[in-house]
């Protein structure tokens, strides 16, 4: 089976989204609303686990939040004033219900539910060691490794066991956990994946993005710091820093594509940053044209910035239908091509006889760009220029983003001229890596101490990748000697 929408096939898959709340009536209902706001981060499956101070209750299902949690009877099956939830696109582990989060287990200390955004890059190695020592896994998710590490830790308390588990992990993680002792929110020492904290009355919330607070009417408090672990219970809020401090490397692609434009990430408006990326793109790569056209919807803010900086009119030259789901058809080039127009269609009356600049967030395999350029020419455009609001994506991500293998990435196969020929554009240009950093308010990328994780563009991975290269990570995260008690 093939999806009718190559636009979906040719985008980097959003990682996952997490949301948790402690101390709210009908906590599961609040989590469901929060997950609605985070649906863009994962459309494959959704789950919620609640805690009523006696028992844990879970509902997990394949599909969107709206299709699984909008019924009152489902929410009534999830009682309690504490809950965590997850929207998923699989980056590690097969698709299927057994991998849908939150994952839950009964430990010696009681119930333990965990929702995870990111990817544990040494999970396979850890899993092999755990299985050899008797652990029995119920899923293929890297997240289950965390549960087994907690369960087998020699430390006495749940908190110490949890920290002991974290110190064995490599890669990226933002976690929200519900336990009888409270809710835990934490980020990896580099802060690769985002996590923010807010309040709804007296209740405390963790979420992947601030937009989830807007939807539920909560107040944004602050970001969870890289390497920080926050425990929330009836006694209050406790912040711990169990890792030695190192320079953070938050994912730069959150600003380019993943986060919703109305979110605040790293203290900055995502929408404003994307407009500034477009402005930098126009400064670096000008071209004479009649129209600036965004590739819907992710290219829109950058296209606005490009148009404002260049003085070339912004127009909606591609119209997207929002009423087409991810339908499936039998393979066949002719039918597949017709399926493209179910979701995107050229605004021919606007485009005919015009020189157009198409602005998109990225090029992955190149199939999207090829189809869009062809669509513009079929609509009568005299010139088609592509401008990309990120540097060429030459490397796979191992931190929670489902990217193709490197050999499938167009920028890993061709230089920019070769990519231009492949998509059949009159010109093709990308923002430079320094231009991307300037759009974020920085002078440029520091090669000695990069400010962000930009490995998909530069190949500069901030951690050792044990499962990929077989090397043990012994120096990346120096750990504090003392345990937290």
């Amino acid at each position: 089976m093939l999806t009718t929408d190559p636009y979906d096939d040719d985008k980097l898959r959003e990682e996952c989204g997490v949301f948790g709340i402690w101390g709210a009536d009908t906590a599961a209902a609040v989590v469901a609303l929060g997950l609605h706001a985070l649906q863009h981060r994962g459309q494959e499956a959704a789950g919620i686990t609640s805690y009523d101070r006696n028992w844990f209750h879970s509902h997990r299902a394949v599909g969107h939040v709206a299709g699984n949690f909008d019924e009152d009877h489902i929410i009534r099956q999830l009682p309690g004033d504490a809950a965590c939830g997850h929207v998923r696109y699989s980056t590690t582990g097969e698709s299927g219900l057994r991998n849908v989060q939150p994952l839950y287990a009964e430990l010696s200390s009681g119930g333990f539910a965990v929702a995870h955004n990111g990817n544990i890059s040494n999970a396979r190695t850890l899993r092999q060691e755990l299985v050899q020592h008797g652990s029995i896994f119920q899923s293929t998710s890297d997240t289950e490794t965390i549960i087994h590490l907690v369960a087998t830790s020699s430390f006495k308390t749940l908190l110490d066991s949890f920290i002991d588990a974290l110190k064995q992990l490599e890669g990226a993680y933002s976690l929200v956990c519900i336990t009888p002792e409270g809710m835990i929110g934490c980020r990896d020492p580099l802060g690769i994946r985002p996590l923010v904290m807010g309040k709804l009355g007296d209740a405390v919330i963790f979420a992947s993005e601030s937009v989830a607070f807007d939807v539920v009417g909560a107040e944004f408090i602050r970001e969870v710091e890289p390497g920080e672990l926050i425990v929330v219970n009836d006694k209050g809020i406790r912040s711990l820093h169990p890792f030695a401090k190192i320079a953070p490397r938050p994912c730069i692609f959150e600003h380019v594509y993943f986060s919703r434009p109305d979110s605040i990430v790293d203290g900055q408006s995502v929408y404003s940053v994307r407009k500034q990326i477009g402005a930098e793109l126009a400064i670096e790569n000008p071209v004479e044209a009649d129209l600036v056209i965004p590739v819907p919807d992710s290219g829109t803010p950058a296209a606005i910035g490009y148009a404002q900086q260049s003085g070339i009119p912004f127009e909606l030259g591609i119209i997207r239908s929002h009423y087409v789901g991810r339908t499936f058809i039998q393979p066949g080039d002719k039918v597949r091509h017709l399926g493209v127009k179910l979701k995107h269609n050229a605004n021919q009356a606007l485009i005919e006889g015009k020189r157009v600049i198409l602005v998109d967030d990225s090029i992955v395999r190149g199939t999207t760009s090829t189809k869009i350029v062809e669509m513009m020419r079929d609509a009568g455009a005299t010139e088609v220029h592509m401008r990309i609001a990120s540097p060429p994506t030459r490397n796979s991500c191992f931190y929670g983003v489902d990217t193709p293998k490197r050999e499938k990435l167009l920028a890993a196969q061709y230089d920019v001229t070769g990519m231009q020929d492949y998509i059949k554009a009159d010109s093709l240009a990308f923002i430079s890596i320094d231009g991307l950093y300037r759009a974020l308010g920085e002078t440029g990328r520091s090669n000695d101490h990069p400010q962000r994780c930009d490995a998909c563009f530069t190949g500069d991975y901030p951690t050792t990748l044990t499962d990929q290269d077989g090397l043990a990570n012994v120096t990346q995260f120096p750990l504090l000697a003392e345990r937290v008690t």
Side-chain angles (χ1 to χ4, degrees), residues 218-252:
E219 174 190 3
F220 173 83
I221 301 299
R222 66 176 178 89
E223 292 188 355
V224 177
E225 297 175 7
E228 183 180 19
L229 186 151
I230 300 176
V231 180
V232 180
N233 54 34
D234 296 339
K235 297 178 181 179
I237 301 173
R238 183 184 179 192
S239 172
L240 306 170
H241 290 83
F243 299 94
K245 190 173 180 62
I246 57 176
R249 295 280 299 273
C251 174
I252 201 167

Side-chain angles (χ1 to χ4, degrees), residues 261-466:
D262 43 347
S263 280
I264 304 296
V265 175
D266 303 326
Q268 299 187 72
S269 160
V270 173
Y271 178 77
S272 296
V273 168
R274 288 179 186 168
K275 282 182 61 180
Q276 190 57 40
I277 291 173
E280 288 285 344
L281 185 59
I283 293 169
E284 291 186 346
N285 300 291
V287 63
E288 290 187 6
D290 303 305
L291 301 174
V292 175
I293 294 173
V295 177
D297 288 321
S298 56
T300 301
I304 293 172
Y306 193 104
Q308 290 176 347
Q309 178 65 39
S310 65
I312 301 171
F314 170 92
E315 295 287 355
L316 297 178
I318 301 171
I319 306 303
R320 177 185 175 186
S321 170
H322 292 270
Y323 305 101
V324 178
R326 303 183 96 201
T327 55
F328 288 81
I329 59 173
Q330 293 295 329
D333 288 342
K334 182 176 181 181
V335 180
R336 181 185 176 94
H337 180 72
L338 292 175
V340 173
K341 294 189 176 183
L342 289 174
K343 199 164 188 176
H344 296 83
N345 194 40
N347 189 348
Q348 185 170 349
L350 180 72
I351 292 167
E352 191 168 9
K354 300 293 197 309
R355 300 168 298 173
V356 302
I357 301 170
L358 295 169
V359 179
D360 203 356
D361 60 89
S362 60
I363 291 181
V364 183
R365 293 182 176 91
T367 54
T368 294
S369 301
T370 302
K371 291 294 185 184
I372 291 177
V373 170
E374 181 183 4
M375 181 187 294
M376 294 295 100
R377 296 205 189 280
D378 289 346
T382 58
E383 295 178 16
V384 183
H385 304 275
M386 285 287 296
R387 294 295 180 266
I388 307 301
S390 63
T393 304
R394 295 192 173 99
N395 306 282
S396 298
C397 176
F398 300 105
Y399 301 120
V401 181
D402 185 41
T403 51
K405 292 182 179 179
R406 190 174 188 274
E407 58 266 24
K408 298 292 186 181
L409 296 169
L410 193 66
Q413 303 173 58
Y414 301 101
D415 60 13
V416 174
T417 301
M419 295 174 73
Q420 177 184 321
D421 292 342
Y422 182 90
I423 68 174
K424 297 180 173 59
D426 291 287
S427 73
L428 170 66
F430 298 78
I431 193 171
S432 68
I433 189 69
D434 282 341
L436 183 56
Y437 275 87
R438 284 194 297 270
L440 285 157
E442 297 161 6
T443 57
R445 185 185 194 271
S446 169
N447 291 326
D448 294 332
H449 301 285
Q451 306 95 310
R452 301 175 187 275
C453 179
D454 53 21
C456 54
F457 308 132
T458 66
D460 182 3
Y461 293 98
T463 74
T464 302
L465 302 170
T466 296

Side-chain angles (χ1 to χ4, degrees), residues 167 170 190 244-246 462-464 466 471-479:
K167 289 182 176 183
E170 168 194 296
L190 291 170
K245 190 173 180 62
I246 57 176
T463 74
T464 302
T466 296
L471 297 176
N473 180 17
V474 294
T475 60
Q476 195 68 44
F477 297 145
L479 306 177

Side-chain angles (χ1 to χ4, degrees), residues 21-30 80-82 200 203:
I21 187 167
W22 183 275
D25 293 336
T26 61
V30 179
D81 66 349
L200 180 62

Side-chain angles (χ1 to χ4, degrees), residues 195-214:
L195 190 67
V196 292
M197 182 171 68
K199 293 197 76 174
L200 180 62
D202 294 328
V204 178
I205 303 176
F206 293 115
S208 292
E209 292 183 40
S210 63
V211 68
F213 298 157
D214 299 336

